[in-house]
mmCIF file of all heavy atoms in Angstrom:
data_model
loop_
_atom_site.group_PDB
_atom_site.id
_atom_site.type_symbol
_atom_site.label_atom_id
_atom_site.label_comp_id
_atom_site.label_asym_id
_atom_site.label_seq_id
_atom_site.Cartn_x
_atom_site.Cartn_y
_atom_site.Cartn_z
ATOM 1 N N ILE A 1 91.394 27.055 95.006
ATOM 2 C CA ILE A 1 91.598 26.294 93.768
ATOM 3 C C ILE A 1 91.967 27.224 92.639
ATOM 4 O O ILE A 1 92.858 26.928 91.827
ATOM 5 C CB ILE A 1 90.319 25.489 93.421
ATOM 6 C CG1 ILE A 1 90.041 24.458 94.510
ATOM 7 C CG2 ILE A 1 90.459 24.819 92.061
ATOM 8 C CD1 ILE A 1 88.690 23.753 94.357
ATOM 9 N N ALA A 2 91.303 28.379 92.575
ATOM 10 C CA ALA A 2 91.608 29.350 91.525
ATOM 11 C C ALA A 2 93.062 29.812 91.604
ATOM 12 O O ALA A 2 93.751 29.873 90.577
ATOM 13 C CB ALA A 2 90.658 30.554 91.656
ATOM 14 N N ASP A 3 93.543 30.109 92.794
ATOM 15 C CA ASP A 3 94.937 30.535 92.954
ATOM 16 C C ASP A 3 95.905 29.428 92.557
ATOM 17 O O ASP A 3 96.932 29.684 91.933
ATOM 18 C CB ASP A 3 95.188 30.934 94.426
ATOM 19 C CG ASP A 3 94.473 32.229 94.795
ATOM 20 O OD1 ASP A 3 94.098 32.987 93.877
ATOM 21 O OD2 ASP A 3 94.304 32.473 96.001
ATOM 22 N N LYS A 4 95.556 28.207 92.917
ATOM 23 C CA LYS A 4 96.456 27.082 92.647
ATOM 24 C C LYS A 4 96.538 26.759 91.154
ATOM 25 O O LYS A 4 97.592 26.397 90.641
ATOM 26 C CB LYS A 4 95.967 25.849 93.406
ATOM 27 C CG LYS A 4 96.912 24.657 93.367
ATOM 28 C CD LYS A 4 96.452 23.561 94.319
ATOM 29 C CE LYS A 4 97.456 22.425 94.326
ATOM 30 N NZ LYS A 4 97.060 21.350 95.282
ATOM 31 N N LEU A 5 95.405 26.910 90.452
ATOM 32 C CA LEU A 5 95.350 26.548 89.018
ATOM 33 C C LEU A 5 95.456 27.743 88.088
ATOM 34 O O LEU A 5 95.356 27.597 86.862
ATOM 35 C CB LEU A 5 94.048 25.782 88.741
ATOM 36 C CG LEU A 5 93.837 24.471 89.525
ATOM 37 C CD1 LEU A 5 92.531 23.817 89.116
ATOM 38 C CD2 LEU A 5 95.013 23.530 89.348
ATOM 39 N N PHE A 6 95.620 28.943 88.686
ATOM 40 C CA PHE A 6 95.787 30.179 87.902
ATOM 41 C C PHE A 6 94.583 30.464 87.017
ATOM 42 O O PHE A 6 94.719 30.777 85.820
ATOM 43 C CB PHE A 6 97.081 30.113 87.066
ATOM 44 C CG PHE A 6 98.300 29.864 87.872
ATOM 45 C CD1 PHE A 6 98.907 28.613 87.891
ATOM 46 C CD2 PHE A 6 98.867 30.878 88.638
ATOM 47 C CE1 PHE A 6 100.056 28.368 88.641
ATOM 48 C CE2 PHE A 6 100.018 30.667 89.404
ATOM 49 C CZ PHE A 6 100.597 29.406 89.414
ATOM 50 N N ILE A 7 93.399 30.274 87.570
ATOM 51 C CA ILE A 7 92.168 30.618 86.879
ATOM 52 C C ILE A 7 91.304 31.442 87.845
ATOM 53 O O ILE A 7 91.638 31.579 89.025
ATOM 54 C CB ILE A 7 91.390 29.364 86.414
ATOM 55 C CG1 ILE A 7 91.117 28.425 87.615
ATOM 56 C CG2 ILE A 7 92.154 28.627 85.338
ATOM 57 C CD1 ILE A 7 90.356 27.160 87.256
ATOM 58 N N SER A 8 90.197 31.981 87.357
ATOM 59 C CA SER A 8 89.363 32.833 88.207
ATOM 60 C C SER A 8 88.426 31.975 89.063
ATOM 61 O O SER A 8 88.073 30.851 88.682
ATOM 62 C CB SER A 8 88.531 33.778 87.342
ATOM 63 O OG SER A 8 87.497 33.062 86.695
ATOM 64 N N PRO A 9 88.004 32.497 90.221
ATOM 65 C CA PRO A 9 87.052 31.781 91.062
ATOM 66 C C PRO A 9 85.728 31.492 90.331
ATOM 67 O O PRO A 9 85.123 30.436 90.551
ATOM 68 C CB PRO A 9 86.803 32.743 92.238
ATOM 69 C CG PRO A 9 88.072 33.539 92.322
ATOM 70 C CD PRO A 9 88.492 33.726 90.895
ATOM 71 N N ASN A 10 85.335 32.397 89.447
ATOM 72 C CA ASN A 10 84.098 32.153 88.674
ATOM 73 C C ASN A 10 84.252 30.956 87.739
ATOM 74 O O ASN A 10 83.303 30.185 87.542
ATOM 75 C CB ASN A 10 83.722 33.391 87.860
ATOM 76 C CG ASN A 10 83.093 34.470 88.730
ATOM 77 O OD1 ASN A 10 82.554 34.178 89.788
ATOM 78 N ND2 ASN A 10 83.150 35.712 88.257
ATOM 79 N N THR A 11 85.449 30.812 87.176
ATOM 80 C CA THR A 11 85.728 29.664 86.306
ATOM 81 C C THR A 11 85.673 28.370 87.117
ATOM 82 O O THR A 11 85.119 27.361 86.674
ATOM 83 C CB THR A 11 87.086 29.791 85.624
ATOM 84 O OG1 THR A 11 87.096 30.966 84.817
ATOM 85 C CG2 THR A 11 87.373 28.594 84.747
ATOM 86 N N VAL A 12 86.254 28.408 88.304
ATOM 87 C CA VAL A 12 86.199 27.239 89.198
ATOM 88 C C VAL A 12 84.752 26.902 89.527
ATOM 89 O O VAL A 12 84.330 25.746 89.470
ATOM 90 C CB VAL A 12 86.972 27.504 90.499
ATOM 91 C CG1 VAL A 12 86.778 26.327 91.474
ATOM 92 C CG2 VAL A 12 88.452 27.709 90.198
ATOM 93 N N ARG A 13 83.969 27.925 89.854
ATOM 94 C CA ARG A 13 82.575 27.719 90.209
ATOM 95 C C ARG A 13 81.801 27.068 89.051
ATOM 96 O O ARG A 13 80.970 26.183 89.240
ATOM 97 C CB ARG A 13 81.923 29.055 90.609
ATOM 98 C CG ARG A 13 80.529 28.927 91.176
ATOM 99 C CD ARG A 13 80.040 30.258 91.725
ATOM 100 N NE ARG A 13 80.782 30.647 92.918
ATOM 101 C CZ ARG A 13 81.724 31.604 92.963
ATOM 102 N NH1 ARG A 13 82.006 32.275 91.853
ATOM 103 N NH2 ARG A 13 82.340 31.905 94.076
ATOM 104 N N THR A 14 82.071 27.549 87.839
ATOM 105 C CA THR A 14 81.418 26.991 86.649
ATOM 106 C C THR A 14 81.771 25.525 86.481
ATOM 107 O O THR A 14 80.908 24.679 86.226
ATOM 108 C CB THR A 14 81.842 27.766 85.393
ATOM 109 O OG1 THR A 14 81.381 29.121 85.509
ATOM 110 C CG2 THR A 14 81.201 27.152 84.143
ATOM 111 N N HIS A 15 83.070 25.199 86.653
ATOM 112 C CA HIS A 15 83.495 23.811 86.525
ATOM 113 C C HIS A 15 82.854 22.927 87.603
ATOM 114 O O HIS A 15 82.410 21.807 87.331
ATOM 115 C CB HIS A 15 85.030 23.709 86.623
ATOM 116 C CG HIS A 15 85.757 24.069 85.369
ATOM 117 N ND1 HIS A 15 85.522 23.450 84.168
ATOM 118 C CD2 HIS A 15 86.712 25.013 85.127
ATOM 119 C CE1 HIS A 15 86.299 23.966 83.228
ATOM 120 N NE2 HIS A 15 87.033 24.904 83.793
ATOM 121 N N VAL A 16 82.802 23.445 88.821
ATOM 122 C CA VAL A 16 82.210 22.666 89.918
ATOM 123 C C VAL A 16 80.716 22.414 89.648
ATOM 124 O O VAL A 16 80.222 21.299 89.842
ATOM 125 C CB VAL A 16 82.369 23.410 91.252
ATOM 126 C CG1 VAL A 16 81.535 22.740 92.352
ATOM 127 C CG2 VAL A 16 83.839 23.437 91.657
ATOM 128 N N ASN A 17 80.021 23.417 89.154
ATOM 129 C CA ASN A 17 78.615 23.227 88.796
ATOM 130 C C ASN A 17 78.443 22.191 87.715
ATOM 131 O O ASN A 17 77.513 21.360 87.747
ATOM 132 C CB ASN A 17 77.995 24.556 88.339
ATOM 133 C CG ASN A 17 77.810 25.544 89.491
ATOM 134 O OD1 ASN A 17 77.742 25.141 90.645
ATOM 135 N ND2 ASN A 17 77.723 26.827 89.172
ATOM 136 N N ASN A 18 79.358 22.199 86.738
ATOM 137 C CA ASN A 18 79.309 21.207 85.674
ATOM 138 C C ASN A 18 79.584 19.803 86.200
ATOM 139 O O ASN A 18 78.971 18.821 85.740
ATOM 140 C CB ASN A 18 80.312 21.551 84.576
ATOM 141 C CG ASN A 18 79.873 22.745 83.735
ATOM 142 O OD1 ASN A 18 78.695 23.071 83.675
ATOM 143 N ND2 ASN A 18 80.838 23.404 83.105
ATOM 144 N N ILE A 19 80.516 19.711 87.143
ATOM 145 C CA ILE A 19 80.834 18.414 87.754
ATOM 146 C C ILE A 19 79.589 17.847 88.455
ATOM 147 O O ILE A 19 79.226 16.686 88.252
ATOM 148 C CB ILE A 19 81.993 18.559 88.757
ATOM 149 C CG1 ILE A 19 83.304 18.839 88.010
ATOM 150 C CG2 ILE A 19 82.143 17.290 89.609
ATOM 151 C CD1 ILE A 19 84.450 19.249 88.908
ATOM 152 N N TYR A 20 78.929 18.686 89.253
ATOM 153 C CA TYR A 20 77.726 18.235 89.961
ATOM 154 C C TYR A 20 76.654 17.794 88.950
ATOM 155 O O TYR A 20 75.989 16.777 89.136
ATOM 156 C CB TYR A 20 77.178 19.371 90.822
ATOM 157 C CG TYR A 20 77.843 19.513 92.158
ATOM 158 C CD1 TYR A 20 79.225 19.536 92.284
ATOM 159 C CD2 TYR A 20 77.109 19.663 93.314
ATOM 160 C CE1 TYR A 20 79.847 19.675 93.498
ATOM 161 C CE2 TYR A 20 77.718 19.806 94.560
ATOM 162 C CZ TYR A 20 79.100 19.826 94.638
ATOM 163 O OH TYR A 20 79.690 19.958 95.862
ATOM 164 N N LYS A 21 76.514 18.576 87.879
ATOM 165 C CA LYS A 21 75.481 18.269 86.890
ATOM 166 C C LYS A 21 75.802 16.972 86.171
ATOM 167 O O LYS A 21 74.903 16.111 85.986
ATOM 168 C CB LYS A 21 75.375 19.426 85.879
ATOM 169 C CG LYS A 21 74.293 19.230 84.829
ATOM 170 C CD LYS A 21 74.205 20.434 83.911
ATOM 171 C CE LYS A 21 73.117 20.222 82.859
ATOM 172 N NZ LYS A 21 73.025 21.396 81.935
ATOM 173 N N LYS A 22 77.047 16.783 85.744
ATOM 174 C CA LYS A 22 77.417 15.580 84.998
ATOM 175 C C LYS A 22 77.286 14.326 85.860
ATOM 176 O O LYS A 22 76.918 13.269 85.367
ATOM 177 C CB LYS A 22 78.859 15.713 84.487
ATOM 178 C CG LYS A 22 79.011 16.648 83.285
ATOM 179 C CD LYS A 22 80.436 16.598 82.773
ATOM 180 C CE LYS A 22 80.615 17.476 81.525
ATOM 181 N NZ LYS A 22 81.987 17.386 80.987
ATOM 182 N N LEU A 23 77.634 14.441 87.132
ATOM 183 C CA LEU A 23 77.581 13.290 88.013
ATOM 184 C C LEU A 23 76.207 13.095 88.636
ATOM 185 O O LEU A 23 75.977 12.097 89.333
ATOM 186 C CB LEU A 23 78.633 13.426 89.117
ATOM 187 C CG LEU A 23 80.088 13.483 88.663
ATOM 188 C CD1 LEU A 23 81.020 13.635 89.854
ATOM 189 C CD2 LEU A 23 80.459 12.277 87.815
ATOM 190 N N HIS A 24 75.292 14.031 88.401
ATOM 191 C CA HIS A 24 73.934 13.957 88.941
ATOM 192 C C HIS A 24 73.958 13.873 90.468
ATOM 193 O O HIS A 24 73.166 13.134 91.064
ATOM 194 C CB HIS A 24 73.171 12.775 88.332
ATOM 195 C CG HIS A 24 72.860 12.971 86.871
ATOM 196 N ND1 HIS A 24 71.741 13.657 86.444
ATOM 197 C CD2 HIS A 24 73.535 12.619 85.768
ATOM 198 C CE1 HIS A 24 71.745 13.687 85.121
ATOM 199 N NE2 HIS A 24 72.813 13.069 84.701
ATOM 200 N N LEU A 25 74.847 14.624 91.071
ATOM 201 C CA LEU A 25 74.945 14.693 92.521
ATOM 202 C C LEU A 25 74.704 16.140 92.945
ATOM 203 O O LEU A 25 74.834 17.056 92.146
ATOM 204 C CB LEU A 25 76.316 14.211 92.991
ATOM 205 C CG LEU A 25 76.683 12.778 92.578
ATOM 206 C CD1 LEU A 25 78.094 12.436 93.003
ATOM 207 C CD2 LEU A 25 75.695 11.772 93.171
ATOM 208 N N ASN A 26 74.366 16.340 94.222
ATOM 209 C CA ASN A 26 74.020 17.693 94.636
ATOM 210 C C ASN A 26 74.660 18.128 95.955
ATOM 211 O O ASN A 26 74.207 19.075 96.574
ATOM 212 C CB ASN A 26 72.496 17.871 94.717
ATOM 213 C CG ASN A 26 71.841 16.808 95.557
ATOM 214 O OD1 ASN A 26 72.482 16.197 96.402
ATOM 215 N ND2 ASN A 26 70.558 16.573 95.324
ATOM 216 N N SER A 27 75.703 17.420 96.380
ATOM 217 C CA SER A 27 76.400 17.850 97.591
ATOM 218 C C SER A 27 77.859 17.446 97.514
ATOM 219 O O SER A 27 78.223 16.495 96.818
ATOM 220 C CB SER A 27 75.764 17.226 98.842
ATOM 221 O OG SER A 27 76.065 15.841 98.930
ATOM 222 N N ARG A 28 78.682 18.186 98.250
ATOM 223 C CA ARG A 28 80.119 17.889 98.283
ATOM 224 C C ARG A 28 80.361 16.473 98.825
ATOM 225 O O ARG A 28 81.224 15.746 98.335
ATOM 226 C CB ARG A 28 80.842 18.909 99.160
ATOM 227 C CG ARG A 28 82.349 18.662 99.279
ATOM 228 C CD ARG A 28 82.960 19.585 100.307
ATOM 229 N NE ARG A 28 83.063 20.940 99.788
ATOM 230 C CZ ARG A 28 84.187 21.475 99.303
ATOM 231 N NH1 ARG A 28 85.284 20.761 99.289
ATOM 232 N NH2 ARG A 28 84.204 22.713 98.881
ATOM 233 N N SER A 29 79.583 16.072 99.843
ATOM 234 C CA SER A 29 79.800 14.756 100.439
ATOM 235 C C SER A 29 79.522 13.647 99.433
ATOM 236 O O SER A 29 80.238 12.623 99.391
ATOM 237 C CB SER A 29 78.916 14.583 101.686
ATOM 238 O OG SER A 29 77.538 14.645 101.341
ATOM 239 N N GLN A 30 78.467 13.817 98.597
ATOM 240 C CA GLN A 30 78.176 12.812 97.590
ATOM 241 C C GLN A 30 79.293 12.719 96.555
ATOM 242 O O GLN A 30 79.696 11.635 96.152
ATOM 243 C CB GLN A 30 76.845 13.141 96.901
ATOM 244 C CG GLN A 30 75.622 12.954 97.785
ATOM 245 C CD GLN A 30 74.335 13.369 97.099
ATOM 246 O OE1 GLN A 30 74.348 14.023 96.062
ATOM 247 N NE2 GLN A 30 73.201 12.996 97.688
ATOM 248 N N VAL A 31 79.793 13.886 96.148
ATOM 249 C CA VAL A 31 80.903 13.900 95.163
ATOM 250 C C VAL A 31 82.136 13.246 95.781
ATOM 251 O O VAL A 31 82.841 12.483 95.102
ATOM 252 C CB VAL A 31 81.216 15.352 94.740
ATOM 253 C CG1 VAL A 31 82.472 15.405 93.921
ATOM 254 C CG2 VAL A 31 80.041 15.914 93.930
ATOM 255 N N MET A 32 82.410 13.530 97.022
ATOM 256 C CA MET A 32 83.575 12.943 97.703
ATOM 257 C C MET A 32 83.424 11.423 97.800
ATOM 258 O O MET A 32 84.395 10.691 97.577
ATOM 259 C CB MET A 32 83.754 13.552 99.085
ATOM 260 C CG MET A 32 84.220 15.007 99.049
ATOM 261 S SD MET A 32 84.345 15.752 100.700
ATOM 262 C CE MET A 32 85.716 14.797 101.402
ATOM 263 N N ASN A 33 82.232 10.964 98.114
ATOM 264 C CA ASN A 33 81.997 9.506 98.188
ATOM 265 C C ASN A 33 82.271 8.845 96.850
ATOM 266 O O ASN A 33 82.893 7.780 96.787
ATOM 267 C CB ASN A 33 80.567 9.229 98.628
ATOM 268 C CG ASN A 33 80.337 9.484 100.103
ATOM 269 O OD1 ASN A 33 81.293 9.511 100.877
ATOM 270 N ND2 ASN A 33 79.074 9.681 100.483
ATOM 271 N N LEU A 34 81.804 9.455 95.767
ATOM 272 C CA LEU A 34 82.008 8.888 94.447
ATOM 273 C C LEU A 34 83.476 8.933 94.069
ATOM 274 O O LEU A 34 84.005 7.980 93.496
ATOM 275 C CB LEU A 34 81.185 9.656 93.407
ATOM 276 C CG LEU A 34 81.191 9.065 91.994
ATOM 277 C CD1 LEU A 34 80.562 7.678 91.989
ATOM 278 C CD2 LEU A 34 80.431 9.974 91.022
ATOM 279 N N ALA A 35 84.166 10.003 94.420
ATOM 280 C CA ALA A 35 85.590 10.139 94.121
ATOM 281 C C ALA A 35 86.411 9.076 94.845
ATOM 282 O O ALA A 35 87.294 8.434 94.240
ATOM 283 C CB ALA A 35 86.065 11.532 94.497
ATOM 284 N N TYR A 36 86.135 8.875 96.125
ATOM 285 C CA TYR A 36 86.850 7.848 96.870
ATOM 286 C C TYR A 36 86.505 6.449 96.365
ATOM 287 O O TYR A 36 87.378 5.588 96.252
ATOM 288 C CB TYR A 36 86.517 7.934 98.364
ATOM 289 C CG TYR A 36 87.229 9.038 99.105
ATOM 290 C CD1 TYR A 36 86.535 10.116 99.644
ATOM 291 C CD2 TYR A 36 88.619 9.025 99.226
ATOM 292 C CE1 TYR A 36 87.203 11.151 100.298
ATOM 293 C CE2 TYR A 36 89.292 10.051 99.882
ATOM 294 C CZ TYR A 36 88.578 11.102 100.425
ATOM 295 O OH TYR A 36 89.239 12.131 101.066
ATOM 296 N N LYS A 37 85.241 6.253 96.043
ATOM 297 C CA LYS A 37 84.772 4.962 95.563
ATOM 298 C C LYS A 37 85.495 4.531 94.289
ATOM 299 O O LYS A 37 85.848 3.359 94.109
ATOM 300 C CB LYS A 37 83.267 5.031 95.310
ATOM 301 C CG LYS A 37 82.633 3.780 94.747
ATOM 302 C CD LYS A 37 81.136 4.049 94.564
ATOM 303 C CE LYS A 37 80.422 2.855 93.982
ATOM 304 N NZ LYS A 37 78.974 3.113 93.802
ATOM 305 N N ASN A 38 85.752 5.502 93.430
ATOM 306 C CA ASN A 38 86.386 5.197 92.141
ATOM 307 C C ASN A 38 87.866 5.521 92.096
ATOM 308 O O ASN A 38 88.476 5.498 91.021
ATOM 309 C CB ASN A 38 85.649 5.956 91.020
ATOM 310 C CG ASN A 38 84.249 5.415 90.802
ATOM 311 O OD1 ASN A 38 84.080 4.341 90.243
ATOM 312 N ND2 ASN A 38 83.254 6.143 91.280
ATOM 313 N N LYS A 39 88.426 5.843 93.298
ATOM 314 C CA LYS A 39 89.870 6.075 93.393
ATOM 315 C C LYS A 39 90.314 7.181 92.441
ATOM 316 O O LYS A 39 91.333 7.059 91.740
ATOM 317 C CB LYS A 39 90.675 4.786 93.138
ATOM 318 C CG LYS A 39 90.397 3.712 94.182
ATOM 319 C CD LYS A 39 91.257 2.478 93.914
ATOM 320 C CE LYS A 39 91.124 1.475 95.040
ATOM 321 N NZ LYS A 39 89.783 0.945 95.218
ATOM 322 N N TRP A 40 89.541 8.272 92.390
ATOM 323 C CA TRP A 40 89.910 9.410 91.557
ATOM 324 C C TRP A 40 90.974 10.268 92.203
ATOM 325 O O TRP A 40 91.497 11.173 91.593
ATOM 326 C CB TRP A 40 88.676 10.266 91.274
ATOM 327 C CG TRP A 40 87.694 9.586 90.372
ATOM 328 C CD1 TRP A 40 87.885 8.449 89.668
ATOM 329 C CD2 TRP A 40 86.353 10.017 90.083
ATOM 330 N NE1 TRP A 40 86.751 8.133 88.953
ATOM 331 C CE2 TRP A 40 85.807 9.078 89.178
ATOM 332 C CE3 TRP A 40 85.599 11.113 90.477
ATOM 333 C CZ2 TRP A 40 84.513 9.209 88.686
ATOM 334 C CZ3 TRP A 40 84.308 11.226 89.983
ATOM 335 C CH2 TRP A 40 83.782 10.270 89.095
ATOM 336 N N ILE A 41 91.231 10.034 93.486
ATOM 337 C CA ILE A 41 92.221 10.850 94.211
ATOM 338 C C ILE A 41 93.244 9.948 94.861
ATOM 339 O O ILE A 41 93.049 8.746 94.990
ATOM 340 C CB ILE A 41 91.540 11.723 95.290
ATOM 341 C CG1 ILE A 41 90.743 10.823 96.261
ATOM 342 C CG2 ILE A 41 90.618 12.739 94.655
ATOM 343 C CD1 ILE A 41 90.202 11.575 97.431
#
């Protein structure tokens, strides 16, 4: 993701942590379920 968006891996990690925190989820599968459910992708 960092290579694709031209940012550092640490920045990606920070954003991912923020995503988990904001959505109150704690696993990739839960985030994916919510993303598919709301047609975010």
